[in-house]
Amino acid sequence: RTHPHARLQRWWPASQMQGMGAFAEPGDDVQVHAYTARVRPDGHGIWAEHGKLVPFFLEYDTGTERLSMLVDKISAYHQLAAVTRRVWPVLFWLHSTNRERHLHHHLTDARIQIPVATAARDHTAQAGKSPAEAVWWPHRHPGGLLRLADLAGTVARSGNAEAA
């Protein structure tokens, strides 16, 4: 709301993404409409800024799950992408920079095929930034933190068949 030329174009809460066909869009084939996904994201959104669309899944982490469980969730997102042909980044909104750093170590050991980015609430709050700003750390991305709108490039590099 506070970023000119930017808006959250779509927001689906967790309750909207359960059951058969939850991720189906108009024009999808029968397989997508009949599919019941194993993923249970906390939310799904599409961020629009200056002509860039960034669809994403949000995993809001409270710190209660083992990091290995967070990594295991990514395989379900890979399966969803195989069915829908939509490769959307999974954004982990973590409570601390320490947990964020440890998650990236776990991700390095795993064979993930979906773009993943993380942000730490303690760092974001301390820096006085919002999730739309340069607080996202894409896994295996050289360089600094990215803005939410810049994650559109991580989708393109992942071989996405459809951005939104």
Side-chain angles (χ1 to χ4, degrees):
R1 293 181 192 159
T2 60
H3 296 320
H5 312 290
R7 70 185 182 98
L8 189 59
Q9 182 173 312
R10 173 165 72 192
W11 179 253
W12 290 352
S15 60
Q16 189 167 340
M17 293 176 280
Q18 298 175 7
M20 187 184 322
F23 295 96
E25 302 257 353
D28 282 343
D29 62 29
V30 173
Q31 180 183 8
V32 178
H33 285 278
Y35 180 68
T36 300
R38 291 184 323 147
V39 298
R40 295 289 182 257
D42 295 304
H44 159 63
I46 298 178
W47 180 253
E49 185 174 342
H50 294 290
K52 293 181 184 176
L53 292 178
V54 183
F56 61 89
F57 292 109
L58 177 69
E59 288 285 344
Y60 186 92
D61 178 61
T62 61
T64 58
E65 292 180 301
R66 291 186 331 271
L67 292 173
S68 60
M69 290 183 71
L70 299 183
V71 173
D72 289 346
K73 289 181 177 186
I74 297 169
S75 66
Y77 285 103
H78 177 72
Q79 185 181 31
L80 175 65
V83 172
T84 64
R85 295 185 315 245
R86 294 181 192 98
V87 180
W88 296 338
V90 178
L91 307 182
F92 285 93
W93 185 244
L94 302 156
H95 74 280
S96 72
T97 52
N98 188 44
R99 186 162 170 88
E100 180 181 34
R101 189 172 39 259
H102 285 109
L103 177 58
H104 277 272
H105 288 301
H106 277 77
L107 291 170
T108 298
D109 294 338
R111 300 182 112 180
I112 60 169
Q113 299 176 356
I114 297 293
V116 172
T118 61
R121 291 189 294 281
D122 63 347
H123 170 263
T124 303
Q126 185 177 27
K129 294 187 176 185
S130 78
E133 297 178 87
V135 298
W136 295 102
W137 176 8
H139 185 61
R140 292 193 176 115
H141 173 76
L145 300 176
L146 297 182
R147 295 174 38 79
L148 183 56
D150 295 332
L151 293 178
T154 66
V155 174
R157 284 191 299 276
S158 72
N160 181 20
E162 181 177 338

